[in-house]
Amino acid sequence: EYHYNRYILALGYHANGDLNKAIEMVKRALEHSPAEVSEERTDYEAALVRLLEESGDQAAAEQVYRDTLAARRLHFPESHLDIASSLDDLGQTLILHEKYADAEPYLRKCLEIRKAALPAEEWRIAHTMSVLGTSLVGQGRFTEAEPLLVRAFHELQANERRLAGNPLAMVREALDAVVALYTAWG
């Protein structure tokens, strides 16, 4: 409960314009949130990463996900879905920082875990394929990216009713990734 209170304080500090205090409070919330408590920790990590990126500290933002991945590897087997989530978070952050080649191995491992563990949740697998495809486009590897991105878009579109979160946004992101591929490819 204390970590949740620190998280709420961080949101308040941020709303009042004190970015440094907000970062400090979210870091303290993360320190007291066990790595195996996935849902809460995921919220705290995302908030901290957003705040660090807002402050311009991209390296620290990436390190948040690296630290969580390391902590989760101590608690879960490598095939656990929480490991896949950490790999996905780190891969997406690296892509946002235009580190496409660095993101690729994390996203490939995430895709491997999700394919083995979630055969009935094609949409999660498709989302990971789309992010991996984006990484490949960023590296100029268009031929490898195309089948991943096209398949991901079709899977997400076909499973739109079962998507978690904002389904329309997920389908649109996948379509945007296909368009970005063909635009970059010429």
Side-chain angles (χ1 to χ4, degrees):
E1 292 176 1
Y2 291 119
H3 51 84
Y4 180 73
N5 292 338
R6 289 183 178 113
Y7 174 68
I8 295 301
L9 277 171
L11 296 178
Y13 281 123
H14 185 252
N16 288 321
D18 192 341
L19 186 59
N20 291 331
K21 196 68 170 172
I23 290 170
E24 178 189 332
M25 283 293 114
V26 177
K27 282 182 178 179
R28 290 178 65 194
L30 265 174
E31 288 170 5
H32 293 76
S33 176
E36 59 272 15
V37 181
S38 302
E39 193 172 318
E40 290 172 346
R41 187 165 183 98
T42 300
D43 291 342
Y44 302 164
E45 289 166 353
L48 181 56
V49 166
R50 280 192 312 272
L51 293 170
L52 290 167
E53 287 174 338
E54 186 178 324
S55 77
D57 195 347
Q58 294 179 347
E62 293 169 15
Q63 193 60 46
V64 169
Y65 288 132
R66 290 181 195 283
D67 291 346
T68 296
L69 177 59
R72 286 188 173 153
R73 282 182 163 153
L74 294 174
H75 293 282
F76 301 115
E78 193 64 23
S79 61
H80 198 278
L81 290 174
D82 282 356
I83 300 290
S85 292
S86 289
L87 292 164
D88 185 60
D89 290 338
L90 179 55
Q92 288 192 55
T93 298
L94 290 167
I95 286 173
L96 285 174
H97 300 160
E98 298 181 358
K99 296 180 177 180
Y100 304 107
D102 293 345
E104 183 184 351
Y106 296 109
L107 295 167
R108 285 195 183 279
K109 182 65 178 173
C110 175
L111 184 58
E112 177 187 316
I113 293 168
R114 285 186 170 160
K115 280 183 175 179
L118 296 172
E121 292 194 45
E122 296 89 3
W123 68 269
R124 270 194 210 278
I125 295 166
H127 177 339
T128 303
M129 288 186 333
S130 183
V131 176
L132 175 58
T134 299
S135 170
L136 294 171
V137 169
Q139 297 175 64
R141 294 164 57 190
F142 307 124
T143 307
E144 292 175 71
E146 184 181 34
L148 287 169
L149 291 172
V150 171
R151 182 170 170 214
F153 169 68
H154 289 299
E155 288 287 337
L156 289 168
Q157 190 178 38
N159 291 290
E160 186 175 347
R161 294 185 197 273
R162 298 186 320 177
L163 297 179
N166 186 345
L168 188 56
M170 288 182 91
V171 173
R172 177 149 187 116
E173 284 175 19
L175 178 59
D176 289 347
V178 173
V179 171
L181 161 72
Y182 291 129
T183 301
W185 202 350

